[in-house]
Every structure is written in C-alpha cells, then in structure tokens.
Amino acid sequence: MNEADDAILEYLQELETNAGHRIALPPTTVWYNLVEELGVLDRSQNTVSRRMNVLSDANLLEKIDEKRGYYRITDRGLAYLRGELAASELEENR
C-alpha cells in the first residue's frame, strides 16, 4: 500500500451516497480528479490505473465493468480505511 492507494480508496469512499450507493469510475476519471482538480496526488495516469488493478486484486476495489474498466470500493476497502485491516493482512490474504 502506498500514498496513491490510500488517495484512490479515500476518493472513492467519499463518493458513496447517503443511501450507501457506491459510485464506479474508470481510472482516467479518478486520476483527473485526484491530480488535476484536487491536487492531492502527483502521479501519472498509468500509475493510477496500475494501482487500481492492484487494489482490485486485493479485493479493495471491485472492477464492475471489464470492458470499460469501471471500479468501485468494496466492503474490504472500507474496512481498510477504517483501520480494521492492516496493510500486512492484505498481503497475507491475497
């Protein structure tokens, strides 16, 4: 886990609606908002895309549209952000 991973997860968590609906976005949109709009990351678009794949492999994100590559945060991703999962546990459970 690194700075980009945390920023991606936190951003997608913030997009969850009051009704509990989790918004799905493609990596390009996540990159644009985190880097260009919010300025919270200084990473390339390719890096954000790669990290989102890694987060999906760790079941912290769910890829819901294989063709277009849309991702949303999972219950496991939310548990990680709440501190209920340590980064070391993520490696053990893969």
Side-chain angles (χ1 to χ4, degrees):
M1 298 297 291
N2 62 38
E3 174 191 27
D5 297 340
D6 289 343
I8 291 165
L9 291 171
E10 289 168 2
Y11 179 68
L12 291 172
Q13 175 192 31
E14 290 174 13
L15 295 177
E16 187 173 350
T17 68
N18 290 338
H21 180 76
R22 296 177 188 158
I23 303 298
L25 296 173
T28 302
T29 302
V30 173
W31 170 83
Y32 178 80
N33 284 291
L34 290 175
V35 175
E36 298 293 330
E37 289 293 320
L38 301 172
V40 297
L41 261 183
D42 184 21
R43 298 286 196 279
S44 72
Q45 187 175 341
N46 286 336
T47 297
V48 170
S49 182
R50 276 194 313 274
R51 296 313 302 168
M52 288 178 77
N53 276 322
V54 169
L55 293 169
S56 179
D57 289 344
N59 297 315
L60 299 174
L61 293 181
E62 173 186 21
K63 192 171 189 178
I64 61 165
D65 187 326
E66 289 291 328
K67 186 175 180 181
R68 289 182 248 159
Y70 278 67
Y71 295 83
R72 68 177 164 214
I73 196 164
T74 63
D75 290 338
R76 184 174 164 88
L78 294 172
Y80 169 77
L81 290 175
R82 289 191 301 264
E84 297 169 6
L85 288 174
S88 60
E89 290 179 82
L90 299 177
E91 292 299 318
E92 294 169 4
N93 294 324
R94 283 179 73 187

